[in-house]
Amino acid sequence: EVQLVESGGGLVQPGGSLRLSCAASGFSFSSAVMSWVRQAPGKEFEWVSHISTDGAITAYTDSVKGRFTISRDNGKNTLYLQANNLKTEDTAMYYCAQGHRYNWAKTGNQGTQVTVSS
């Protein structure tokens, strides 16, 4: 059974930082392109970033470029998202998902809430 468990969210002030983690199990993590996606209240899902299987290739949505960094540790089956200089518009539930920007799927995982507020 595929399991993705996110952690690391919280309440931070604008300009603050968080490091999100996603522990994966039940599939070959090292063979999977992985993404972070988010959903703000009342809005549709938004793809945020993806990373290639070996971590060499990454991509970001324009609104987070230069502020967020995606990474992975295949030895630990864990995906990360370092989010710096957070803005109020980054407030959302963040999920990890298998796949890339144009074809991703999450598997019922619950996500981790990021709230940016002063």
Side-chain angles (χ1 to χ4, degrees):
E1 179 187 3
V2 172
Q3 286 197 328
L4 298 169
V5 180
E6 301 90 347
S7 62
L11 172 63
V12 295
Q13 294 185 340
S17 297
L18 287 172
R19 189 191 194 204
L20 309 184
S21 298
C22 170
S25 62
F27 65 103
S28 179
F29 178 78
S30 61
S31 299
V33 175
M34 295 296 296
S35 285
W36 285 98
V37 301
R38 66 187 179 184
Q39 187 177 32
K43 295 189 176 180
E44 295 186 353
F45 278 97
E46 176 188 25
W47 171 84
V48 175
S49 179
H50 69 227
I51 187 167
S52 61
T53 56
D54 63 357
I57 300 172
T58 59
Y60 301 90
T61 192
D62 286 348
S63 63
V64 308
K65 282 180 181 176
R67 300 188 297 120
F68 288 15
T69 302
I70 191 171
S71 62
R72 66 192 297 161
D73 185 335
N74 287 340
K76 294 182 178 180
N77 284 359
T78 303
L79 180 72
Y80 302 100
L81 186 68
Q82 178 68 42
N84 297 330
N85 190 20
L86 283 158
K87 303 178 180 182
T88 55
E89 53 263 42
D90 294 318
T91 295
M93 188 71 80
Y94 284 70
Y95 303 87
C96 57
Q98 295 183 70
H100 57 76
R101 179 173 193 166
Y102 300 107
N103 187 13
W104 58 265
K106 70 179 190 69
T107 57
N109 34 313
Q110 297 193 353
T112 188
Q113 177 68 42
V114 171
T115 303
V116 185
S117 174
S118 56

